[in-house]
């Protein structure tokens, strides 16, 4: 990735950082949906340079990367975030520094919900001609495992509304550092578990 632009989120006493993240991230997701290819993939990725495990884990800066300046210009992020200009600052498009020593991927981590486990148990019961209670007991350990995993891994997340059904959803974000660059595509949330972005 050779070009980037930063979006800095600005809070005040009435508006929380989480609320601004929700609004900004949804608009950027919409912008990325407009730029996706036939496979729902993009060459534009999002990074969270202040990602941490304390305070507000995602920080207050979102960095958008692209291979070319033209790609970022076509994304037209100022248009998508026009209603939020009181709460953000958008930097000009800049070149990525030449000497990058660290890269990171920012991917989505999905957890099985209780409803999903019940659905799997119901399907298992039907396929194996057993009662739903019996099938659910087979999945009880799985349910407990996912509960513990969810509690143990207190990953940073963003709340947004699903575009398909309007329901609220959490996007859990996991960061993996790498000494090498791994090129690839990103999803319409600007995330990838394998493609890396420069860290600086």
């Amino acid at each position: 990735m050779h070009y980037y632009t930063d979006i800095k989120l600005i809070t005040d006493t009435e508006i929380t950082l989480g609320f601004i993240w929700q609004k900004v991230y949804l608009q950027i997701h919409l912008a990325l949906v407009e730029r996706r290819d036939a496979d729902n993939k993009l060459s534009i990725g999002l990074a969270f340079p202040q990602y941490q495990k304390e305070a507000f884990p995602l920080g207050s800066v979102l960095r958008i990367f692209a291979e070319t300046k033209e790609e970022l210009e076509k994304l037209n992020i100022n248009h998508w975030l026009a209603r939020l200009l009181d709460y953000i600052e958008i930097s000009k498009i800049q070149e990525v520094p030449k000497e990058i020593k660290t890269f990171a991927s920012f991917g989505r981590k999905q957890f099985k919900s209780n409803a999903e486990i019940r659905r799997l148990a119901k399907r298992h019961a039907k396929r194996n001609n057993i009662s739903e209670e019996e099938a659910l007991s087979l999945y009880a350990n799985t349910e407990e495992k996912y509960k513990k995993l969810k509690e143990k891994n207190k990953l940073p997340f963003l709340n947004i509304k699903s575009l398909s059904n309007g329901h609220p959803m959490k996007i859990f974000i996991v960061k993996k550092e790498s000494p090498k660059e791994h090129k690839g595509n990103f999803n319409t949330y600007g995330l990838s578990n394998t493609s890396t972005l420069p860290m600086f």
Side-chain angles (χ1 to χ4, degrees):
M1 294 290 191
H2 300 297
Y3 290 87
Y4 75 96
T5 186
D6 281 345
I7 299 167
K8 184 176 182 189
L9 284 61
I10 304 161
T11 60
D12 62 28
T13 52
E14 295 176 16
I15 306 292
T16 66
L17 194 54
F19 180 79
I20 300 170
W21 265 115
Q22 180 180 351
K23 298 296 182 189
V24 167
Y25 197 70
L26 179 58
Q27 288 304 116
I28 289 174
H29 172 51
L30 291 169
L32 293 174
V33 166
E34 290 285 314
R35 306 292 315 154
R36 66 188 167 179
D37 66 15
D39 297 321
N40 281 337
K41 298 290 179 194
L42 296 122
S43 56
I44 296 171
L46 303 181
F48 305 85
Q50 298 174 343
Y51 184 104
Q52 58 184 341
K53 305 253 173 162
E54 299 165 8
F56 193 86
L58 292 174
S60 60
V61 177
L62 178 64
R63 188 165 286 158
I64 307 173
F65 285 97
E67 282 293 332
T68 67
K69 187 177 182 180
E70 290 73 28
E71 283 179 286
L72 284 178
E73 288 170 343
K74 284 180 185 172
L75 187 61
N76 198 8
I77 208 63
N78 288 41
H79 162 75
W80 289 97
L81 297 176
R83 294 179 311 155
L84 301 168
L85 291 177
D86 289 344
Y87 307 104
I88 60 171
E89 289 175 6
I90 304 171
S91 76
K92 63 180 184 174
I93 296 171
Q94 302 171 72
E95 276 192 73
V96 170
K98 302 287 182 216
E99 297 298 318
I100 300 292
K101 299 203 183 328
T102 308
F103 297 86
S105 65
F106 293 89
R108 184 175 178 192
K109 176 83 173 171
Q110 291 182 283
F111 297 96
K112 281 188 166 63
S113 66
N114 290 344
E116 205 173 344
I117 290 168
R118 284 191 203 94
R119 184 183 54 75
L120 290 170
K122 190 173 184 175
R123 198 164 88 192
H124 184 78
K126 192 174 182 180
R127 282 186 178 166
N128 295 287
N129 202 24
I130 59 174
S131 72
E132 282 184 35
E133 291 78 22
E134 202 175 341
L136 200 52
S137 70
L138 295 170
Y139 279 89
N141 289 338
T142 307
E143 187 172 357
E144 205 51 44
K145 181 177 97 176
Y146 280 107
K147 265 188 195 170
K148 284 178 185 171
L149 188 64
K150 203 169 182 179
E151 287 165 9
K152 184 180 172 188
N153 297 316
K154 300 251 182 214
L155 289 175
F157 65 88
L158 291 163
N159 283 310
I160 67 165
K161 276 189 181 176
S162 167
L163 296 178
S164 56
N165 60 24
H167 293 155
M169 60 189 273
K170 289 183 179 177
I171 307 287
F172 289 92
I173 297 170
V174 61
K175 175 186 177 184
K176 292 179 195 161
E177 290 194 3
S178 169
K180 293 182 180 178
E181 182 179 21
H182 299 282
K183 293 191 176 192
N185 292 319
F186 299 85
N187 63 23
T188 56
Y189 293 103
L191 304 174
S192 171
N193 288 312
T194 54
S195 304
T196 60
L197 296 166
M199 295 305 294
F200 53 92

